[in-house]
Amino acid sequence: MEEDEIRRALLKRALGYDALEVAEEYSLDKDGQETLQKKKVTKKHYSPDISAAKLLLERYYRSYEEQVLGMSDEELEEEKMRLEGLLKKGEQNGNS
């Protein structure tokens, strides 16, 4: 499971992504309690990282290619369905 998370993180970094950044300013009120004064939310784009893409290809593509070459037709069909599901999930997350 942990390796899948690393692979997804590398893929995200290799392809680039958008993220929300939140900056908050607090001040003390009369009672000494912190209160939120300003909150700024900005959307930031992180460009694709070629180092992450290179590592991803070197580390995972070769081993994945070797696995695929050894798969039966049924295993290939299952892998196809798994990858299509991941793509659909990624599209849904990107649109929300």
Side-chain angles (χ1 to χ4, degrees):
M1 185 68 173
E2 191 173 291
E3 189 166 331
D4 284 341
E5 291 175 21
I6 293 170
R7 188 178 306 154
R8 281 194 299 271
L10 270 173
L11 182 61
K12 182 178 177 180
R13 181 75 186 214
L15 297 176
Y17 60 99
D18 293 323
L20 296 178
E21 290 187 352
V22 179
E24 299 177 335
E25 286 185 30
Y26 291 88
S27 66
L28 296 176
D29 64 8
K30 296 176 187 176
D31 300 326
Q33 300 291 322
E34 287 187 354
T35 58
L36 179 65
Q37 293 298 312
K38 293 181 185 179
K39 182 176 182 178
K40 183 178 178 182
V41 179
T42 56
K43 185 176 182 180
K44 185 172 181 181
H45 176 74
Y46 291 90
S47 298
D49 182 352
I50 194 69
S51 297
K54 183 179 177 184
L55 179 63
L56 186 66
L57 289 172
E58 288 174 355
R59 169 92 168 116
Y60 295 106
Y61 180 72
R62 287 189 184 134
S63 63
Y64 182 72
E65 184 179 23
E66 290 168 1
Q67 288 176 351
V68 169
L69 290 173
M71 287 182 179
S72 67
D73 289 344
E74 293 81 19
E75 290 171 325
L76 286 170
E77 187 63 35
E78 287 177 18
E79 181 66 0
K80 175 186 167 190
M81 294 177 71
R82 183 186 76 83
L83 293 172
E84 287 175 343
L86 288 174
L87 287 171
K88 287 179 185 176
K89 184 178 178 183
E91 289 173 357
Q92 290 173 352
N93 290 341
N95 291 334
S96 53

